[in-house]
Amino acid sequence: MIPEEPLRPDTDDAMVDLLGSIAMEEIAISHLLSAEAKKMLAFIGKDLDFPTNPSNAEIFQFNKEAARLIESLVIKEWLLLRKLQNVADFFSDKKENYQPHHDFIPPCPEPLEEME
């Protein structure tokens, strides 16, 4: 067991920090997805008329880049799920005797702007 020190977080603090880090990463992913959706709408156009008149090669390249981003985000989501499962497994052993030392409620993120 790790000895206690004045600046070392206790188990409750560690759990809050781990869950908070997962939540912050999820918020970041949601912002990336929102930005990508706006980029797609600008590229395709509101009337699906491709206002910039891209060539087939440009459309293919755009699609390839979007797919690459989505693939990266899916991998990140899988890693976050594994992190959450590991946190849950680690703290489930302590669940029966768990008494939180504080009432931590993380701040609610600002709502994203609605897509036009």
Side-chain angles (χ1 to χ4, degrees), residues 2 15-16 36 56 61 76 86 99 102 108-109 112-113:
I2 299 174
M15 182 169 62
V16 167
E36 187 67 13
N56 287 341
Q61 183 63 31
K76 184 62 179 173
N86 288 334
Q99 296 293 324
H102 46 72
C108 184
L112 295 175
E113 294 178 19

Side-chain angles (χ1 to χ4, degrees), residues 3-116:
E4 288 190 30
E5 291 183 16
L7 299 177
R8 183 170 287 140
D10 62 12
T11 304
D12 290 344
D13 292 333
M15 182 169 62
V16 167
D17 289 345
L18 288 166
L19 293 175
S21 72
I22 293 169
M24 293 300 289
E25 289 184 75
E26 292 290 355
I27 291 168
I29 289 170
S30 75
H31 288 289
L32 286 170
L33 285 172
S34 178
E36 187 67 13
K38 288 178 182 179
K39 186 170 96 174
M40 287 179 180
L41 283 174
F43 185 75
I44 295 168
K46 291 183 181 182
D47 299 323
L48 306 178
D49 58 355
F50 291 94
T52 60
N53 297 318
S55 66
N56 287 341
E58 290 171 326
I59 294 172
F60 179 75
Q61 183 63 31
F62 184 88
N63 187 51
K64 187 171 146 184
E65 291 170 8
R68 195 172 285 154
L69 174 69
I70 300 300
E71 180 182 1
S72 296
L73 294 178
V74 167
I75 291 168
K76 184 62 179 173
E77 284 292 340
W78 183 83
L79 291 171
L80 287 173
L81 176 61
R82 292 294 301 142
K83 183 177 180 180
L84 181 61
Q85 289 170 335
N86 288 334
V87 169
D89 289 346
F90 179 78
F91 290 103
S92 67
D93 298 337
K94 301 173 187 327
K95 180 173 69 171
E96 304 240 345
N97 299 323
Y98 179 71
Q99 296 293 324
H101 300 322
H102 46 72
D103 295 326
F104 176 78
I105 300 175
C108 184
E110 294 294 321
L112 295 175
E113 294 178 19
E114 299 224 1
M115 292 190 293
E116 298 170 4

